[in-house]
Amino acid sequence: MRTCLLALSCCIAMAAMLAYAQSADEGYQMARVVAFERVAANAQHMAGSDAYKISMRLGDTVYACRVNAPAATFIDWTTGKEFPAKVNVPNGKVLLVKNPDGQVVELNIVGRKTPK
């Protein structure tokens, strides 16, 4: 009886630790893509050929962002779609967004708007 009770309490503790580990995405909220635009490539600087302008609404704020990343990163991104995101706290100039595959994309914040 005592062994069964100990095994049951260990299972409950492990389940609680697993649930806590899965909720380790502290600070992430759902953000909606407001605008998504691929920037035309500059013939002189081909390094920036995969540049995007993205606006995302997080809470009551719309963040205007820019990013250079491979096109495969944004294959599922469309206007109106939601992704977990948070503002990078130390400097507040980067929006961290999680892709469906778990990859974190860093969007450089170039502007903010809050409705009045």
Side-chain angles (χ1 to χ4, degrees), residues 9 11 46 57 81 101 115:
S9 62
C11 288
M46 292 307 290
R57 177 181 292 273
K81 194 152 186 184
D101 63 359

mmCIF file of all heavy atoms in Angstrom, residues 9 11 46 57 81 101 115:
data_model
loop_
_atom_site.group_PDB
_atom_site.id
_atom_site.type_symbol
_atom_site.label_atom_id
_atom_site.label_comp_id
_atom_site.label_asym_id
_atom_site.label_seq_id
_atom_site.Cartn_x
_atom_site.Cartn_y
_atom_site.Cartn_z
ATOM 1 N N SER A 9 2.294 9.264 -5.997
ATOM 2 C CA SER A 9 2.739 10.639 -5.750
ATOM 3 C C SER A 9 3.897 11.022 -6.664
ATOM 4 O O SER A 9 3.996 12.171 -7.113
ATOM 5 C CB SER A 9 3.106 10.842 -4.281
ATOM 6 O OG SER A 9 4.173 10.000 -3.921
ATOM 7 N N CYS A 11 4.275 9.896 -9.757
ATOM 8 C CA CYS A 11 3.644 10.136 -11.064
ATOM 9 C C CYS A 11 2.972 11.506 -11.115
ATOM 10 O O CYS A 11 3.066 12.215 -12.119
ATOM 11 C CB CYS A 11 2.626 9.038 -11.364
ATOM 12 S SG CYS A 11 3.388 7.458 -11.756
ATOM 13 N N MET A 46 22.661 42.293 -53.024
ATOM 14 C CA MET A 46 21.872 41.058 -53.051
ATOM 15 C C MET A 46 21.787 40.396 -51.676
ATOM 16 O O MET A 46 20.980 39.510 -51.468
ATOM 17 C CB MET A 46 22.448 40.081 -54.069
ATOM 18 C CG MET A 46 22.276 40.559 -55.511
ATOM 19 S SD MET A 46 20.576 40.978 -55.924
ATOM 20 C CE MET A 46 19.822 39.374 -55.926
ATOM 21 N N ARG A 57 0.098 43.095 -34.436
ATOM 22 C CA ARG A 57 -0.649 43.655 -33.302
ATOM 23 C C ARG A 57 -0.466 42.731 -32.111
ATOM 24 O O ARG A 57 -0.843 41.570 -32.126
ATOM 25 C CB ARG A 57 -2.125 43.788 -33.629
ATOM 26 C CG ARG A 57 -2.956 44.298 -32.448
ATOM 27 C CD ARG A 57 -4.424 44.393 -32.777
ATOM 28 N NE ARG A 57 -4.680 45.425 -33.756
ATOM 29 C CZ ARG A 57 -4.883 46.710 -33.457
ATOM 30 N NH1 ARG A 57 -4.839 47.102 -32.204
ATOM 31 N NH2 ARG A 57 -5.126 47.576 -34.401
ATOM 32 N N LYS A 81 -3.174 35.904 -39.438
ATOM 33 C CA LYS A 81 -2.733 34.720 -38.701
ATOM 34 C C LYS A 81 -2.099 35.142 -37.383
ATOM 35 O O LYS A 81 -1.511 36.210 -37.275
ATOM 36 C CB LYS A 81 -1.732 33.930 -39.540
ATOM 37 C CG LYS A 81 -1.497 32.558 -39.004
ATOM 38 C CD LYS A 81 -1.118 31.604 -40.083
ATOM 39 C CE LYS A 81 -1.060 30.219 -39.471
ATOM 40 N NZ LYS A 81 -0.620 29.240 -40.386
ATOM 41 N N ASP A 101 6.783 25.786 -36.180
ATOM 42 C CA ASP A 101 7.768 24.731 -35.974
ATOM 43 C C ASP A 101 8.620 24.947 -34.719
ATOM 44 O O ASP A 101 9.526 24.179 -34.446
ATOM 45 C CB ASP A 101 8.663 24.588 -37.202
ATOM 46 C CG ASP A 101 9.487 25.832 -37.492
ATOM 47 O OD1 ASP A 101 9.359 26.829 -36.752
ATOM 48 O OD2 ASP A 101 10.264 25.817 -38.474
ATOM 49 N N PRO A 115 -3.693 52.791 -30.580
ATOM 50 C CA PRO A 115 -4.903 53.554 -30.854
ATOM 51 C C PRO A 115 -5.237 54.470 -29.693
ATOM 52 O O PRO A 115 -4.950 54.190 -28.546
ATOM 53 C CB PRO A 115 -5.979 52.475 -31.034
ATOM 54 C CG PRO A 115 -5.431 51.262 -30.407
ATOM 55 C CD PRO A 115 -3.945 51.382 -30.420
#
